Amino acid sequence: MNRTLRRGLMKTFCTILTILCLLLIAPYLRYTSYIPEDNKPFTGSHWYNPYSDISDSLLRANFHAHSRSWGGLTWGKNSAEEVIEAYQAQGYQIPVLSNYHRIADSSLYEESVVYIPAYEHGFNLKKIHCLCIGAHETSFVEYPLHFSTNLTTHVIYNLRRHCDLVALAHPGARRAHEPDEMPALHGMQLMEVANTQGARTLYWDTMLSSGQPVWFLANDDSHDLNGSEAFMRWNMIYVNSPTASEALASLKRGNHYGVSSYDGECEDNRLTEFEFHRDTLWITLRDMFNRLDFIGQDGVQLHSVSRNTTGWYLLRETDTYVRAEVHHDHCVMYLNPVVRYDGVTLPQEGMSAPGQNEVKTWVGRLLFLLLFGIVIICWRRVMRRLT
């Protein structure tokens, strides 16, 4: 290999490496630092009940399933049509296809199912992903490495401009954010608590204990219809009519529950009553359960009722939220919590973006801009030496 050719190859390699470095740095030029919130447990003299309106109609939904996409790079084994048809055959009225940064076209769905556009957002080393449910368009605002909860919060609030609901997907994957970091994340309305890694209730309870009204989701995150993850977790959504708008509104209110199966089977139990009688929360189901657990602040089990159709818990002044898990032989039903509030503003309506720390935001952006400039200067010096 002659000297001229060797130098040409070195120039090409250094240029490609420089472009990759600049692409990795560029997203951080919009770095945003937020003022830490003084997260406090739910307070108020009233209790918000997500099941105050239990309709007779329930829609079964999975919001996390993948098909072949992006040339097979995302490990989807089946076609989009196969995934949708398989979930519909299993009784899902809302079989959502959520490929990475790609919204499934409505033409893939039959009129007999409810179409909700969605996609999975995220391309970073720590696998911090979000589900964009009711997506209007895809967003590519992302950070290759989430070294701070500020970055994740910034992504979440950006996504809220592109979809109706944002859910944190598979919390704890690759130790992305530890449970004690959850209160520093803001903006999500839902959390995929039950997924292929089991039920990550510790992450959910940590978020609820900080006074953030985040509702439960149970999803398969399936990549292969023949794999063990398909048809194992789902959501039951109360609606007055089988439409996307009704389902999204119910999800926003928490008027749904998640189901996680141990073996693919599940008792088809139904919630018939979820009400307050004076200071007692009463939960009644159509069929007998094995155990009903009441869980509160910091994930502490408050009370348990065995082998019955009705469970009850006497609310105390120290209770900030109370949620319930209904255990059966084959599955667990995870109900959304009742939370304290002022009786005027519903918890989800009160969510707003934390304030920005302007000084740290611009210092951070300038540091990344400086790093951006250093990479360009180093490239130019290398190019001169190779000339």
Side-chain angles (χ1 to χ4, degrees), residues 255-304:
N255 194 13
H256 66 281
Y257 60 87
V259 179
S260 181
S261 173
Y262 302 125
D263 52 13
E265 302 293 329
C266 187
E267 294 78 0
D268 186 27
N269 208 346
R270 294 297 174 90
L271 192 66
T272 61
E273 181 185 22
F274 193 102
E275 296 179 347
F276 297 104
H277 295 291
R278 295 185 179 178
D279 295 330
T280 303
L281 174 61
W282 287 84
I283 300 177
T284 302
L285 290 101
R286 182 188 61 196
D287 306 318
M288 183 175 291
F289 49 77
N290 290 345
R291 191 179 78 250
L292 192 157
D293 295 333
F294 292 89
I295 297 164
Q297 184 72 19
D298 299 320
V300 174
Q301 183 166 316
L302 305 170
H303 184 55
S304 184

Side-chain angles (χ1 to χ4, degrees), residues 309-329:
T309 58
T310 299
W312 58 92
Y313 173 68
L314 180 62
L315 297 163
R316 300 172 299 181
E317 291 186 4
T318 54
D319 290 323
T320 59
Y321 76 90
V322 178
R323 65 177 184 86
E325 296 179 3
V326 188
H327 296 260
H328 302 87
D329 289 337

Side-chain angles (χ1 to χ4, degrees), residues 4 23 42 82 87 89 125 130 144 156 165 175 189-190 199 216 221 223 280 297 329 344 354 356 365 381:
T4 301
L23 289 174
F42 294 109
E82 287 173 334
Y87 273 93
L125 296 178
C130 291
I156 290 172
L165 296 167
R175 302 179 66 85
Q189 296 109 319
L190 303 156
F216 189 99
D221 192 7
H223 289 75
T280 303
Q297 184 72 19
D329 289 337
V344 178
Q356 291 188 20
R365 291 178 181 179
R381 287 184 176 180

